[in-house]
Amino acid sequence: MSNDTVIAPEATAICEARHISRDFMTPDGHPYRVIDDISLEVRPNEVVALLGPSGCGKSTILRILAGLLPATEGEVLYRGKPLMGMNPAVSIVFQTFALFPWMTVVENLEVALKAANLSKEEVSKRAADAIKSVGLAGFEEAYPRELSGGMKQRVGIARALSVNPEILFLDEPFSQVDALTGEALRADVMDLWSVKDQNPSSILLVSHDVMEVAYMADRIVVLSTKPGRVRAVLRNDLPHPRSYRSSELVYIVDQLHGIITGHEMPDALPLTPSAAAVEVLPEVSSSEIIGLLEYLQGHIGLQNIFQIAADSHREFGDVIKVVKAAELLDFVDTPGQLVSITSTGKHFVNANQEERKVIWRQQLLRLRLFRAVFDMLTTKREAGIPAEEIINKIAIIMPQERPDRIFATFVRWARFGDLLAYDEDTKKLYLQ
């Protein structure tokens, strides 16, 4: 992997694996090789992703680099020297939330900081700063059972950041939350990483989600399985922050799909390029989106997302869904933690009811799901399309989502814009 680009002296790896392999013993006492001859490095100021199916050894590689697991063969280096014990540069966010259920949010952070032998004052300061950085101010005394999945993972991220790691290891941390919360968490992590001259300097991401690694990573290491080996390394030079909807990102996704074509990816649904970019529709009503736009109009068109949640007295996760819905329709932009109304959003909010419907309809047809159904209906104008057919397609394209809920949102949005009609008796969609 070291030959995929020329490394400048200042880009010396923080952490490096050289020809590592790892064997595990099967129940009958025979060695089973999980990874074989893996070489990779994590340099300052970059995001590296390990992409591959279950069983390819992604998490094993991460644990070896962290010093949690020894390699059977090869060596691990930290700043050019052999790693002995735990890697001092690393903090890990796991797939499961890994919170102590009997501890509050702040206590879950402080227990990690106390292990670092910090003073009481430093422990309190770091915990408070980390909680604020992930948008959980006000939830310091909440227990994990009182938090949503996304909020629990924010606590995990805050805990990892509180110890000021050089490298943040992410072991599929977004796989246990819904798609929209996952998008928000990824954006927040990238915002925190993008602040230069502070840690974490770099991120190592383990994932089987092609879109996720295309959005986050600067170098993507594609692994084969049985045993895990490096199949390809793809550079992604798109500038941050990135947009899921950009043609450049979709091109990277297509490249990755091309690399894995013909090979099984059990955790990830093989998608066509067009399906890969189908947008998840948040469970949000048109009135909620209009309410957000009118709120922004009254605040010079710009507001911090945490302040929006506070002013609206709504749970942060619900506010994220409304913002995401408005962003899908190109009514708002989300630079960092800000939400700003776009020119289209201003035009919409200042329009009368009929003009709003026209604008809404135009924006819906920019979304792949609405365009695809609309185009199908143009050839079946009289017969219509059974709801079951659309729901089944949604289930195939978005296997981790509730297709019935996405369909319900699809119908509500389509009706508001007078784009499509849905007959509750026949359970069919028709052109309006």
Side-chain angles (χ1 to χ4, degrees):
M1 175 169 166
S2 58
N3 62 355
D4 64 312
T5 188
V6 176
I7 306 173
E10 65 272 19
T12 301
I14 302 174
C15 159
E16 182 179 0
R18 292 182 178 175
H19 305 289
I20 60 170
S21 300
R22 172 69 195 193
D23 297 336
F24 288 101
M25 299 303 293
T26 62
D28 59 5
H30 292 91
Y32 174 75
R33 179 143 293 192
V34 177
I35 59 171
D36 183 54
D37 195 26
I38 299 287
S39 293
L40 62 87
E41 53 200 18
V42 182
R43 307 166 192 149
N45 304 311
E46 70 169 352
V47 180
V48 178
L50 303 179
L51 175 67
S54 287
C56 73
K58 301 186 298 293
S59 294
T60 299
I61 295 169
L62 181 144
R63 283 163 171 75
I64 291 174
L65 289 173
L68 295 173
L69 193 66
T72 305
E73 299 172 6
E75 63 177 341
V76 176
L77 306 178
Y78 167 58
R79 294 290 184 183
K81 297 180 180 179
L83 178 66
M84 306 298 292
M86 292 287 292
N87 192 327
V90 167
S91 193
I92 306 176
V93 180
F94 294 99
Q95 181 176 2
T96 55
F97 306 125
L99 302 180
F100 296 112
W102 59 88
M103 292 184 179
T104 63
V105 168
V106 70
E107 288 170 343
N108 265 282
L109 267 68
E110 288 179 346
V111 71
L113 289 165
K114 288 174 182 176
N117 296 319
L118 300 173
S119 68
K120 184 176 180 180
E121 293 75 17
E122 184 67 12
V123 166
S124 297
K125 181 181 184 302
R126 286 203 191 187
D129 289 346
I131 289 170
K132 184 179 179 181
S133 73
V134 298
L136 286 178
F139 291 90
E140 290 86 350
E141 302 304 321
Y143 288 91
R145 65 178 178 274
E146 299 170 326
L147 305 176
S148 66
M151 294 171 78
K152 290 176 186 176
Q153 197 56 292
R154 286 179 186 276
V155 178
I157 293 168
R159 183 174 56 190
L161 293 174
S162 68
V163 297
N164 197 32
E166 288 182 84
I167 309 176
L168 185 64
F169 280 13
L170 302 177
D171 191 2
E172 303 199 49
F174 314 117
S175 61
Q176 298 297 309
V177 298
D178 64 81
L180 293 171
T181 302
E183 283 191 21
L185 287 171
R186 289 182 204 107
D188 286 347
V189 168
M190 296 307 293
D191 283 344
L192 291 166
W193 166 80
S194 66
V195 180
K196 302 307 178 187
D197 302 321
Q198 75 173 40
N199 285 333
S201 168
S202 301
I203 294 173
L204 178 63
L205 168 69
V206 164
S207 181
H208 61 255
D209 187 323
V210 174
M211 184 67 79
E212 178 174 275
V213 300
Y215 175 77
M216 294 183 70
D218 304 311
R219 281 190 298 142
I220 302 163
V221 182
V222 183
L223 300 170
S224 61
T225 189
K226 297 180 182 179
R229 296 189 177 98
V230 176
R231 289 188 51 215
V233 179
L234 180 67
R235 288 200 61 84
N236 181 358
D237 294 320
L238 295 179
H240 296 283
R242 296 168 181 166
S243 168
Y244 290 99
R245 298 167 63 189
S246 73
S247 58
E248 294 86 357
L249 191 77
V250 172
Y251 177 72
I252 296 291
V253 170
D254 289 348
Q255 282 187 292
L256 289 168
H257 281 144
I259 291 171
I260 63 177
T261 296
H263 297 263
E264 287 190 37
M265 290 284 281
D267 287 343
L269 183 71
L271 298 175
T272 63
S274 59
V278 171
E279 303 88 350
V280 176
L281 305 182
E283 289 184 71
V284 170
S285 68
S286 56
S287 60
E288 289 177 297
I289 296 172
I290 294 169
L292 172 67
L293 297 178
E294 290 175 344
Y295 168 91
L296 291 172
Q297 185 83 329
H299 290 77
I300 65 168
L302 184 71
Q303 186 58 281
N304 184 289
I305 190 168
F306 300 119
Q307 190 60 49
I308 295 173
D311 289 347
S312 61
H313 305 290
R314 297 192 64 178
E315 204 261 330
F316 185 67
D318 292 337
V319 175
I320 287 176
K321 290 180 181 179
V322 178
V323 171
K324 179 60 182 176
E327 188 176 30
L328 281 177
L329 295 169
D330 199 29
F331 291 151
V332 302
D333 257 331
T334 53
Q337 296 178 353
L338 297 175
V339 182
S340 65
I341 193 167
T342 63
S343 58
T344 303
K346 290 177 183 177
H347 185 195
F348 176 87
V349 80
N350 290 320
N352 63 38
Q353 186 64 14
E354 286 307 310
E355 290 171 336
R356 283 185 175 185
K357 286 181 178 291
V358 172
I359 297 168
W360 185 278
R361 188 161 58 245
Q362 291 171 342
Q363 297 309 106
L364 289 185
L365 289 174
R366 290 162 53 98
L367 303 180
R368 289 174 181 266
L369 182 58
F370 286 93
R371 171 55 67 181
V373 175
F374 182 82
D375 290 345
M376 289 167 64
L377 282 169
T378 57
T379 62
K380 300 181 180 181
R381 184 177 296 271
E382 300 300 327
I385 299 176
E388 184 179 7
E389 182 178 338
I390 304 301
I391 292 171
N392 288 340
K393 288 182 181 297
I394 294 171
I396 292 171
I397 294 169
M398 308 175 198
Q400 295 180 330
E401 302 301 317
R402 284 282 302 271
D404 55 331
R405 292 183 178 179
I406 290 178
F407 179 76
T409 301
F410 174 89
V411 170
R412 287 198 300 270
W413 289 15
R415 281 174 166 170
F416 179 77
D418 290 339
L419 178 65
L420 307 171
Y422 180 58
D423 190 316
E424 299 284 354
D425 295 325
T426 63
K427 305 295 182 186
K428 282 188 174 184
L429 284 166
Y430 299 89
L431 282 183
Q432 182 71 9

